[in-house]
mmCIF file of all heavy atoms in Angstrom:
data_model
loop_
_atom_site.group_PDB
_atom_site.id
_atom_site.type_symbol
_atom_site.label_atom_id
_atom_site.label_comp_id
_atom_site.label_asym_id
_atom_site.label_seq_id
_atom_site.Cartn_x
_atom_site.Cartn_y
_atom_site.Cartn_z
ATOM 1 N N ILE A 457 0.285 -7.138 5.180
ATOM 2 C CA ILE A 457 0.311 -8.045 4.025
ATOM 3 C C ILE A 457 1.321 -7.448 3.055
ATOM 4 O O ILE A 457 1.164 -6.308 2.617
ATOM 5 C CB ILE A 457 -1.059 -8.161 3.337
ATOM 6 C CG1 ILE A 457 -2.134 -8.644 4.302
ATOM 7 C CG2 ILE A 457 -0.975 -9.105 2.137
ATOM 8 C CD1 ILE A 457 -3.542 -8.642 3.710
ATOM 9 N N GLN A 458 2.349 -8.198 2.754
ATOM 10 C CA GLN A 458 3.345 -7.683 1.823
ATOM 11 C C GLN A 458 2.741 -7.603 0.427
ATOM 12 O O GLN A 458 2.246 -8.605 -0.099
ATOM 13 C CB GLN A 458 4.579 -8.585 1.825
ATOM 14 C CG GLN A 458 5.328 -8.565 3.148
ATOM 15 C CD GLN A 458 6.569 -9.426 3.115
ATOM 16 O OE1 GLN A 458 6.637 -10.418 2.387
ATOM 17 N NE2 GLN A 458 7.555 -9.059 3.922
ATOM 18 N N GLY A 459 2.772 -6.419 -0.161
ATOM 19 C CA GLY A 459 2.163 -6.223 -1.464
ATOM 20 C C GLY A 459 3.086 -6.608 -2.602
ATOM 21 O O GLY A 459 2.900 -7.638 -3.256
ATOM 22 N N GLY A 462 4.585 -10.175 -2.826
ATOM 23 C CA GLY A 462 3.854 -11.368 -3.247
ATOM 24 C C GLY A 462 2.595 -11.670 -2.463
ATOM 25 O O GLY A 462 2.146 -12.809 -2.409
ATOM 26 N N ILE A 463 1.971 -10.655 -1.836
ATOM 27 C CA ILE A 463 0.738 -10.827 -1.051
ATOM 28 C C ILE A 463 0.968 -11.871 0.051
ATOM 29 O O ILE A 463 0.218 -12.843 0.185
ATOM 30 C CB ILE A 463 -0.483 -11.203 -1.933
ATOM 31 C CG1 ILE A 463 -0.507 -10.353 -3.198
ATOM 32 C CG2 ILE A 463 -1.779 -10.992 -1.164
ATOM 33 C CD1 ILE A 463 -0.657 -8.871 -2.993
ATOM 34 N N HIS A 464 2.019 -11.659 0.809
ATOM 35 C CA HIS A 464 2.330 -12.528 1.951
ATOM 36 C C HIS A 464 1.792 -11.876 3.228
ATOM 37 O O HIS A 464 2.250 -10.807 3.609
ATOM 38 C CB HIS A 464 3.839 -12.728 2.094
ATOM 39 C CG HIS A 464 4.454 -13.520 0.987
ATOM 40 N ND1 HIS A 464 4.222 -14.868 0.816
ATOM 41 C CD2 HIS A 464 5.296 -13.151 -0.015
ATOM 42 C CE1 HIS A 464 4.897 -15.294 -0.243
ATOM 43 N NE2 HIS A 464 5.546 -14.277 -0.765
ATOM 44 N N PRO A 465 0.844 -12.507 3.921
ATOM 45 C CA PRO A 465 0.306 -11.923 5.156
ATOM 46 C C PRO A 465 1.168 -12.265 6.368
ATOM 47 O O PRO A 465 1.760 -13.341 6.446
ATOM 48 C CB PRO A 465 -1.072 -12.580 5.277
ATOM 49 C CG PRO A 465 -0.904 -13.907 4.608
ATOM 50 C CD PRO A 465 0.104 -13.718 3.511
ATOM 51 N N LEU A 580 -14.837 -12.804 -3.962
ATOM 52 C CA LEU A 580 -13.859 -12.946 -5.034
ATOM 53 C C LEU A 580 -12.835 -14.032 -4.697
ATOM 54 O O LEU A 580 -12.506 -14.877 -5.540
ATOM 55 C CB LEU A 580 -13.157 -11.607 -5.277
ATOM 56 C CG LEU A 580 -12.010 -11.585 -6.289
ATOM 57 C CD1 LEU A 580 -12.482 -12.061 -7.654
ATOM 58 C CD2 LEU A 580 -11.419 -10.175 -6.387
ATOM 59 N N LYS A 581 -12.348 -14.008 -3.460
ATOM 60 C CA LYS A 581 -11.359 -15.017 -3.062
ATOM 61 C C LYS A 581 -11.944 -16.425 -3.134
ATOM 62 O O LYS A 581 -11.302 -17.363 -3.634
ATOM 63 C CB LYS A 581 -10.850 -14.710 -1.652
ATOM 64 C CG LYS A 581 -9.729 -15.627 -1.195
ATOM 65 C CD LYS A 581 -9.285 -15.254 0.208
ATOM 66 C CE LYS A 581 -8.207 -16.208 0.712
ATOM 67 N NZ LYS A 581 -7.849 -15.942 2.121
ATOM 68 N N LEU A 584 -12.210 -17.493 -6.768
ATOM 69 C CA LEU A 584 -10.894 -17.835 -7.313
ATOM 70 C C LEU A 584 -10.418 -19.191 -6.803
ATOM 71 O O LEU A 584 -9.863 -19.996 -7.560
ATOM 72 C CB LEU A 584 -9.884 -16.741 -6.952
ATOM 73 C CG LEU A 584 -10.060 -15.401 -7.666
ATOM 74 C CD1 LEU A 584 -9.224 -14.318 -6.997
ATOM 75 C CD2 LEU A 584 -9.691 -15.521 -9.148
ATOM 76 N N GLU A 585 -10.651 -19.442 -5.516
ATOM 77 C CA GLU A 585 -10.272 -20.744 -4.958
ATOM 78 C C GLU A 585 -11.065 -21.870 -5.609
ATOM 79 O O GLU A 585 -10.530 -22.942 -5.905
ATOM 80 C CB GLU A 585 -10.487 -20.740 -3.441
ATOM 81 C CG GLU A 585 -9.470 -19.883 -2.691
ATOM 82 C CD GLU A 585 -9.787 -19.756 -1.213
ATOM 83 O OE1 GLU A 585 -10.973 -19.900 -0.843
ATOM 84 O OE2 GLU A 585 -8.856 -19.491 -0.433
ATOM 85 N N LEU A 588 -9.744 -22.010 -9.422
ATOM 86 C CA LEU A 588 -8.322 -22.190 -9.687
ATOM 87 C C LEU A 588 -7.568 -22.970 -8.620
ATOM 88 O O LEU A 588 -6.510 -23.537 -8.891
ATOM 89 C CB LEU A 588 -7.641 -20.816 -9.845
ATOM 90 C CG LEU A 588 -8.157 -19.919 -10.964
ATOM 91 C CD1 LEU A 588 -7.478 -18.560 -10.908
ATOM 92 C CD2 LEU A 588 -7.924 -20.570 -12.322
ATOM 93 N N VAL A 594 -1.215 -24.097 -9.349
ATOM 94 C CA VAL A 594 -1.660 -23.010 -8.475
ATOM 95 C C VAL A 594 -1.260 -23.377 -7.048
ATOM 96 O O VAL A 594 -1.770 -24.343 -6.479
ATOM 97 C CB VAL A 594 -3.183 -22.781 -8.563
ATOM 98 C CG1 VAL A 594 -3.630 -21.740 -7.540
ATOM 99 C CG2 VAL A 594 -3.561 -22.334 -9.970
ATOM 100 N N LYS A 595 -0.341 -22.616 -6.486
ATOM 101 C CA LYS A 595 0.178 -22.946 -5.157
ATOM 102 C C LYS A 595 -0.741 -22.468 -4.042
ATOM 103 O O LYS A 595 -0.942 -23.153 -3.043
ATOM 104 C CB LYS A 595 1.577 -22.351 -4.982
ATOM 105 C CG LYS A 595 2.603 -22.921 -5.956
ATOM 106 C CD LYS A 595 3.962 -22.284 -5.799
ATOM 107 C CE LYS A 595 4.640 -22.698 -4.506
ATOM 108 N NZ LYS A 595 6.046 -22.200 -4.459
ATOM 109 N N GLU A 596 -1.318 -21.253 -4.218
ATOM 110 C CA GLU A 596 -2.158 -20.717 -3.150
ATOM 111 C C GLU A 596 -2.922 -19.497 -3.649
ATOM 112 O O GLU A 596 -2.414 -18.724 -4.471
ATOM 113 C CB GLU A 596 -1.292 -20.315 -1.945
ATOM 114 C CG GLU A 596 -2.076 -19.934 -0.706
ATOM 115 C CD GLU A 596 -1.198 -19.594 0.482
ATOM 116 O OE1 GLU A 596 0.021 -19.361 0.289
ATOM 117 O OE2 GLU A 596 -1.716 -19.549 1.611
ATOM 118 N N VAL A 597 -4.135 -19.346 -3.150
ATOM 119 C CA VAL A 597 -4.893 -18.098 -3.294
ATOM 120 C C VAL A 597 -4.935 -17.486 -1.899
ATOM 121 O O VAL A 597 -5.405 -18.114 -0.953
ATOM 122 C CB VAL A 597 -6.322 -18.348 -3.811
ATOM 123 C CG1 VAL A 597 -7.085 -17.029 -3.899
ATOM 124 C CG2 VAL A 597 -6.282 -19.043 -5.172
ATOM 125 N N ARG A 598 -4.428 -16.260 -1.755
ATOM 126 C CA ARG A 598 -4.327 -15.684 -0.414
ATOM 127 C C ARG A 598 -4.595 -14.181 -0.458
ATOM 128 O O ARG A 598 -4.644 -13.560 -1.517
ATOM 129 C CB ARG A 598 -2.954 -15.975 0.200
ATOM 130 C CG ARG A 598 -1.778 -15.477 -0.613
ATOM 131 C CD ARG A 598 -0.448 -15.767 0.084
ATOM 132 N NE ARG A 598 0.669 -15.325 -0.743
ATOM 133 C CZ ARG A 598 1.425 -16.135 -1.494
ATOM 134 N NH1 ARG A 598 1.204 -17.424 -1.495
ATOM 135 N NH2 ARG A 598 2.415 -15.644 -2.228
ATOM 136 N N GLY A 599 -4.745 -13.623 0.734
ATOM 137 C CA GLY A 599 -4.999 -12.195 0.863
ATOM 138 C C GLY A 599 -6.229 -11.954 1.706
ATOM 139 O O GLY A 599 -6.833 -12.885 2.274
ATOM 140 N N GLN A 600 -6.636 -10.704 1.773
ATOM 141 C CA GLN A 600 -7.788 -10.333 2.582
ATOM 142 C C GLN A 600 -8.462 -9.113 1.975
ATOM 143 O O GLN A 600 -7.797 -8.233 1.433
ATOM 144 C CB GLN A 600 -7.346 -10.025 4.015
ATOM 145 C CG GLN A 600 -8.478 -9.981 5.022
ATOM 146 C CD GLN A 600 -7.976 -10.199 6.434
ATOM 147 O OE1 GLN A 600 -6.804 -9.975 6.733
ATOM 148 N NE2 GLN A 600 -8.846 -10.636 7.323
ATOM 149 N N GLY A 601 -9.790 -9.086 2.076
ATOM 150 C CA GLY A 601 -10.512 -7.984 1.469
ATOM 151 C C GLY A 601 -10.240 -7.953 -0.021
ATOM 152 O O GLY A 601 -10.181 -8.993 -0.691
ATOM 153 N N LEU A 602 -10.060 -6.753 -0.560
ATOM 154 C CA LEU A 602 -9.792 -6.606 -1.985
ATOM 155 C C LEU A 602 -8.294 -6.440 -2.229
ATOM 156 O O LEU A 602 -7.851 -5.540 -2.947
ATOM 157 C CB LEU A 602 -10.606 -5.448 -2.556
ATOM 158 C CG LEU A 602 -12.097 -5.769 -2.697
ATOM 159 C CD1 LEU A 602 -12.894 -4.537 -3.084
ATOM 160 C CD2 LEU A 602 -12.324 -6.912 -3.704
ATOM 161 N N MET A 603 -7.526 -7.321 -1.611
ATOM 162 C CA MET A 603 -6.083 -7.433 -1.833
ATOM 163 C C MET A 603 -5.773 -8.920 -1.897
ATOM 164 O O MET A 603 -5.577 -9.574 -0.883
ATOM 165 C CB MET A 603 -5.298 -6.759 -0.709
ATOM 166 C CG MET A 603 -3.797 -6.756 -0.913
ATOM 167 S SD MET A 603 -2.974 -5.798 0.395
ATOM 168 C CE MET A 603 -1.269 -5.938 -0.150
ATOM 169 N N ILE A 604 -5.761 -9.450 -3.118
ATOM 170 C CA ILE A 604 -5.713 -10.898 -3.313
ATOM 171 C C ILE A 604 -4.567 -11.267 -4.246
ATOM 172 O O ILE A 604 -4.339 -10.606 -5.266
ATOM 173 C CB ILE A 604 -7.048 -11.412 -3.877
ATOM 174 C CG1 ILE A 604 -8.173 -11.155 -2.874
ATOM 175 C CG2 ILE A 604 -6.971 -12.896 -4.237
ATOM 176 C CD1 ILE A 604 -9.550 -11.490 -3.385
ATOM 177 N N GLY A 605 -3.855 -12.329 -3.880
ATOM 178 C CA GLY A 605 -2.792 -12.852 -4.712
ATOM 179 C C GLY A 605 -3.034 -14.310 -5.052
ATOM 180 O O GLY A 605 -3.525 -15.080 -4.225
ATOM 181 N N ILE A 606 -2.700 -14.692 -6.269
ATOM 182 C CA ILE A 606 -2.783 -16.081 -6.727
ATOM 183 C C ILE A 606 -1.372 -16.490 -7.101
ATOM 184 O O ILE A 606 -0.827 -16.034 -8.114
ATOM 185 C CB ILE A 606 -3.716 -16.224 -7.940
ATOM 186 C CG1 ILE A 606 -5.092 -15.621 -7.641
ATOM 187 C CG2 ILE A 606 -3.841 -17.681 -8.362
ATOM 188 C CD1 ILE A 606 -5.743 -14.994 -8.844
ATOM 189 N N GLU A 607 -0.752 -17.334 -6.285
ATOM 190 C CA GLU A 607 0.622 -17.735 -6.545
ATOM 191 C C GLU A 607 0.664 -18.977 -7.418
ATOM 192 O O GLU A 607 0.029 -19.992 -7.110
ATOM 193 C CB GLU A 607 1.382 -17.995 -5.247
ATOM 194 C CG GLU A 607 2.856 -18.320 -5.497
ATOM 195 C CD GLU A 607 3.691 -18.463 -4.251
ATOM 196 O OE1 GLU A 607 3.108 -18.400 -3.143
ATOM 197 O OE2 GLU A 607 4.918 -18.649 -4.379
ATOM 198 N N LEU A 608 1.437 -18.891 -8.498
ATOM 199 C CA LEU A 608 1.634 -20.018 -9.397
ATOM 200 C C LEU A 608 3.004 -20.644 -9.153
ATOM 201 O O LEU A 608 3.851 -20.060 -8.473
ATOM 202 C CB LEU A 608 1.515 -19.556 -10.854
ATOM 203 C CG LEU A 608 0.256 -18.772 -11.234
ATOM 204 C CD1 LEU A 608 0.264 -18.468 -12.727
ATOM 205 C CD2 LEU A 608 -1.009 -19.521 -10.839
ATOM 206 N N SER A 627 -1.950 -7.056 -12.149
ATOM 207 C CA SER A 627 -0.492 -7.013 -12.118
ATOM 208 C C SER A 627 0.046 -8.358 -11.688
ATOM 209 O O SER A 627 -0.681 -9.202 -11.140
ATOM 210 C CB SER A 627 0.019 -5.909 -11.184
ATOM 211 O OG SER A 627 -0.124 -6.278 -9.829
ATOM 212 N N THR A 629 3.300 -9.711 -9.402
ATOM 213 C CA THR A 629 4.344 -9.280 -8.497
ATOM 214 C C THR A 629 5.126 -10.485 -8.011
ATOM 215 O O THR A 629 4.611 -11.608 -8.011
ATOM 216 C CB THR A 629 3.736 -8.485 -7.323
ATOM 217 O OG1 THR A 629 4.769 -7.898 -6.558
ATOM 218 C CG2 THR A 629 2.851 -9.349 -6.459
ATOM 219 N N THR A 632 5.725 -14.545 -9.753
ATOM 220 C CA THR A 632 4.797 -15.677 -9.884
ATOM 221 C C THR A 632 3.424 -15.415 -9.270
ATOM 222 O O THR A 632 2.583 -16.324 -9.247
ATOM 223 C CB THR A 632 5.389 -16.925 -9.207
ATOM 224 O OG1 THR A 632 5.592 -16.648 -7.815
ATOM 225 C CG2 THR A 632 6.704 -17.328 -9.847
ATOM 226 N N VAL A 633 3.171 -14.214 -8.764
ATOM 227 C CA VAL A 633 1.932 -13.947 -8.031
ATOM 228 C C VAL A 633 1.061 -12.953 -8.808
ATOM 229 O O VAL A 633 1.469 -11.810 -9.053
ATOM 230 C CB VAL A 633 2.215 -13.402 -6.618
ATOM 231 C CG1 VAL A 633 0.902 -13.144 -5.877
ATOM 232 C CG2 VAL A 633 3.083 -14.392 -5.834
ATOM 233 N N ILE A 634 -0.131 -13.396 -9.188
ATOM 234 C CA ILE A 634 -1.116 -12.514 -9.814
ATOM 235 C C ILE A 634 -1.746 -11.684 -8.710
ATOM 236 O O ILE A 634 -2.257 -12.221 -7.728
ATOM 237 C CB ILE A 634 -2.204 -13.330 -10.535
ATOM 238 C CG1 ILE A 634 -1.578 -14.277 -11.561
ATOM 239 C CG2 ILE A 634 -3.231 -12.408 -11.187
ATOM 240 C CD1 ILE A 634 -2.507 -15.407 -11.978
ATOM 241 N N ARG A 635 -1.701 -10.358 -8.855
ATOM 242 C CA ARG A 635 -2.217 -9.471 -7.810
ATOM 243 C C ARG A 635 -3.475 -8.751 -8.290
ATOM 244 O O ARG A 635 -3.488 -8.151 -9.365
ATOM 245 C CB ARG A 635 -1.158 -8.443 -7.400
ATOM 246 C CG ARG A 635 -1.669 -7.398 -6.425
ATOM 247 C CD ARG A 635 -0.577 -6.476 -5.924
ATOM 248 N NE ARG A 635 0.196 -5.890 -7.002
ATOM 249 C CZ ARG A 635 1.148 -4.964 -6.821
ATOM 250 N NH1 ARG A 635 1.428 -4.548 -5.600
ATOM 251 N NH2 ARG A 635 1.814 -4.473 -7.840
ATOM 252 N N LEU A 636 -4.523 -8.807 -7.455
ATOM 253 C CA LEU A 636 -5.774 -8.097 -7.720
ATOM 254 C C LEU A 636 -6.019 -7.109 -6.585
ATOM 255 O O LEU A 636 -6.161 -7.508 -5.426
ATOM 256 C CB LEU A 636 -6.931 -9.089 -7.827
ATOM 257 C CG LEU A 636 -6.860 -10.058 -9.017
ATOM 258 C CD1 LEU A 636 -7.889 -11.171 -8.858
ATOM 259 C CD2 LEU A 636 -7.067 -9.317 -10.342
ATOM 260 N N VAL A 637 -6.066 -5.833 -6.924
ATOM 261 C CA VAL A 637 -6.337 -4.773 -5.937
ATOM 262 C C VAL A 637 -7.282 -3.743 -6.570
ATOM 263 O O VAL A 637 -6.923 -2.579 -6.772
ATOM 264 C CB VAL A 637 -5.039 -4.104 -5.434
ATOM 265 C CG1 VAL A 637 -4.365 -4.945 -4.374
ATOM 266 C CG2 VAL A 637 -4.054 -3.829 -6.580
ATOM 267 N N LEU A 654 -10.244 -14.180 -15.955
ATOM 268 C CA LEU A 654 -8.909 -14.616 -15.540
ATOM 269 C C LEU A 654 -8.734 -16.130 -15.570
ATOM 270 O O LEU A 654 -7.670 -16.632 -15.966
ATOM 271 C CB LEU A 654 -8.623 -14.080 -14.135
ATOM 272 C CG LEU A 654 -7.268 -14.432 -13.517
ATOM 273 C CD1 LEU A 654 -6.123 -13.924 -14.392
ATOM 274 C CD2 LEU A 654 -7.163 -13.860 -12.107
#
Side-chain angles (χ1 to χ4, degrees):
I457 302 174
Q458 294 182 331
I463 317 298
H464 292 291
L580 175 58
K581 185 180 177 185
L584 290 167
E585 288 173 335
L588 300 175
V594 174
K595 297 178 71 173
E596 188 178 16
V597 178
R598 57 178 178 259
Q600 195 158 23
L602 287 172
M603 184 175 182
I604 297 174
I606 306 146
E607 184 175 5
L608 308 183
S627 75
T629 189
T632 61
V633 180
I634 304 161
R635 174 174 52 175
L636 295 168
V637 280
L654 180 59

